[in-house]
Each structure stands twice: as structure tokens, then as C-alpha cells.
Amino acid sequence: MAVRVTADDGRQWWLTERIGWGGEGTVYAVADVPALVAKLVPRPPDPAEYRARIERLVRRRREPRTVRLLSGAAAGAAWPRVAVTAVRGGVHGYLMSDLRGRYRPLADLLGTDGRRTGLPSATWRTALRAAAGLATLLAAAHAEGYVVGDLKPDNLWVDRSGAVGIADLDSWQFTDRGREFACRMRTAGYTAPETVAAPGARRTGAGDDFVLAVLVHQLLMAGLHPFAGLPAGGGRYVSLDDNLAHGRCRLTDRRSVALRGPLPPVDLLPGRIAALLRAAFGPEGRLRPGDRPEAAAWAAALHAELADGRLRDCAENGRHVYTAERPWCPWCDLARRGREEYPLAPGGAVPDGAAADRWPPRAGRTADTTWRTA
Ligand SMILES: [Zn+2]
């Protein structure tokens, strides 16, 4: 059933198809405005605070600092454009850009099946670009006083070239004219250790920096979560966050987890990236948020790995790209062990990336899937 929404200035829109939904929010197509979608949040913890948050974000979109942010590193952000309220029921929400026209869900780049269907020409270079772009975006957002707070694949998008989009800005934490709008959302597996330990604590950029490291690891290791695995020694597996709390991480302590292979080899990571990941996931990074590599350091290191001469193309497979630090192709090694992460099309060609653009977005898949209150 179509939903009619109105803005404060009297403009009205009809919301038609539901294109995504989660714990708290629903995303709709907007009739006659294909470039926009609408998100409505029926039961936020504090509706008045939620409405004020959206209004402040909408106003800030026109302020010079945010204009600069959105014309640069955060060009792919679906910033709230207009605060709206459902005519029947009074539910609050906002209009934002529809990222589906250009981007695919980041999850597609993390999974073998998603890469095959959604990003068939993606390579490790695409993943490295996405990691670098995400780090740049976060560094710029932090510099303007924003904390993403609930950073996770479900909020992130990526295009064929590796450019990154981000949605669900209504959960960002920021201070506007002396009033702080706190982030209350968190997602299992994408929460910094200090927030796992104290879910109600105030969020910081250092929390984003930790989750950035998790996402960089996943992007560069074909989707593998850094804290995945069964506790070594036969302990019971509880969750990724439990492994995190106990420091069970393949990269920092190989013997702490048991993982079923074949797995991407740890040495496919360039040395300086592996060092940053170990700094984030080792005891210092986990226990002392201020000692973690910051988004700006990640951005510099990741962009450096994209420089001329830093990447090699495999002679066997046109989708195999790897660091020049490595003498031979890690993706061929992995394929020989039964796991091809970057398959070629039948006949040995690199799949046509343009085909990805013609793929209809899958129903029910949008950035807005999980909203969890702390
Ligand atoms: Zn290869």
C-alpha cells in the first residue's frame, strides 16, 4: 500500500514499493522521483529526538563544511535531503539518494557468490580501492566531527571501480549547536571491543577505526572476518564478538583459532597493511582505542598500495591481482587448492563488468537491514 509523506514546507510524495527493511527502518521507492528513496523509522527509541536529528542533518547538508565533505571524500554518502512525516500515522523519516543505480551492496564484494553475480569483473584491485576509499571517507567524516558508530557492510555500497557509497546516516553521531546526537546502533561482528564490553558507552572515532580494520581485512582476504574461527583447543564457539573479546584472531595468533580451509594466505597482505591490521587487532589495538591506526593512516597506506608498480596481474587469470611484494599469485595457489575467488567467464575471458550494471537490484536488499539498539 502506498504511503503519503509530507515535508514541513507542504511538499508531498507517494512512497510505493518497499525495497528494504530492518529492525527499525523501512526503505521505499518514491513515486515519480527515481533518483530518491525514502526511509521511514516507525518506532525510534525517542521520536522527537529522531526528528530533530534528521532536521539537523538536512540543514547541515547546506553548510560549507558538509558541502565540502559531500563534494569530496563522502561523495557517495546518501545524506538526508528532506525530513518527511507520514500523513497517516506520523512516522518520521527522510528522503535520500537511491544508491542502487550506481552501486552494489558491499557484501557482494566480500562473498564469492556476490562477486560472481553482482561484481563479475571485480578483482583484488577493486577491493583495495574500496578499502582505500572507505578509509578516506571515514577520515574526512571524523575530521568534520562525525562518528559513523554503526559501520558495517549492510550500510556500505561499492561500484564496479571500487568507489564506496554509505547509507543510514541517521545513525551517525554528531554534535550540532551544543546538542549531541548519540549513536545507539551496533552490529555483532562490527563493534569495537570497548563497545562490546560497554554497549551504552559513548561512541568515538576510534571505534570506527577498529571496524574499518575489520572491513579492510575482509575486503583484502576475500571476505574472511579477522575474528572468524572455532576457539583452538576445543572451546565452545560463541560469536565473533566473543572471539574478539578473547583475542582469538588468525592474523595476530595463528594458534588461537581453528578454521576450515582453504583460506587466503596471510602473506597475500602487503607488509605495511599486515602491520596496521596487527596493530588494530593485537592487544594494544583491542585494549587501547587511542593506540589504534586511525582512518587517515589507513587511507595513506592503502592508497600507497595502489601506486604504479605495487600490484601485479597474474599471467594465468586476468582477474587475479596481487601485491608486488609476493613472488607468485596467491589466488592461483588458492584455486589449485579448490577455491577460486575470482573466476573467469567460460572461455577464459574476464567477465564483462557492464553486465553488472544491468543486473536488477535484488528485492529486499538495501543498506538498511539491521538496526540494533545498544
Ligand atoms: Zn593467479
Side-chain angles (χ1 to χ4, degrees), residues 313-317 319-322 328-333 340:
D313 293 296
C314 170
E316 304 291 319
N317 176 323
R319 285 186 72 197
H320 286 182
V321 174
Y322 57 101
W328 67 87
C329 176
W331 305 113
C332 277
D333 282 356
E340 177 54 84

Side-chain angles (χ1 to χ4, degrees), residues 131 135 211-221 273 277 298 302:
V211 180
L212 171 63
V214 171
L215 291 166
V216 170
H217 186 284
Q218 285 197 282
L219 281 163
L220 301 188
M221 300 291 271
I273 300 300
L277 288 167
W298 275 112
L302 290 161

Side-chain angles (χ1 to χ4, degrees), residues 259-344:
L259 279 154
R260 224 180 286 165
L263 300 170
V266 167
D267 69 359
L268 74 76
L269 296 167
R272 76 183 123 200
I273 300 300
L276 286 176
L277 288 167
R278 289 195 174 98
F281 301 146
E284 297 78 19
R286 281 188 291 115
L287 302 175
R288 292 201 290 274
D291 287 356
R292 275 173 210 153
E294 295 184 351
W298 275 112
L302 290 161
H303 280 292
E305 296 303 331
L306 287 162
D308 284 350
R310 289 297 301 161
L311 293 175
R312 285 189 183 160
D313 293 296
C314 170
E316 304 291 319
N317 176 323
R319 285 186 72 197
H320 286 182
V321 174
Y322 57 101
T323 174
E325 289 176 20
R326 216 176 179 281
W328 67 87
C329 176
W331 305 113
C332 277
D333 282 356
L334 200 57
R336 275 192 284 274
R337 291 162 59 210
R339 189 158 167 170
E340 177 54 84
E341 293 289 351
Y342 296 101
L344 294 170

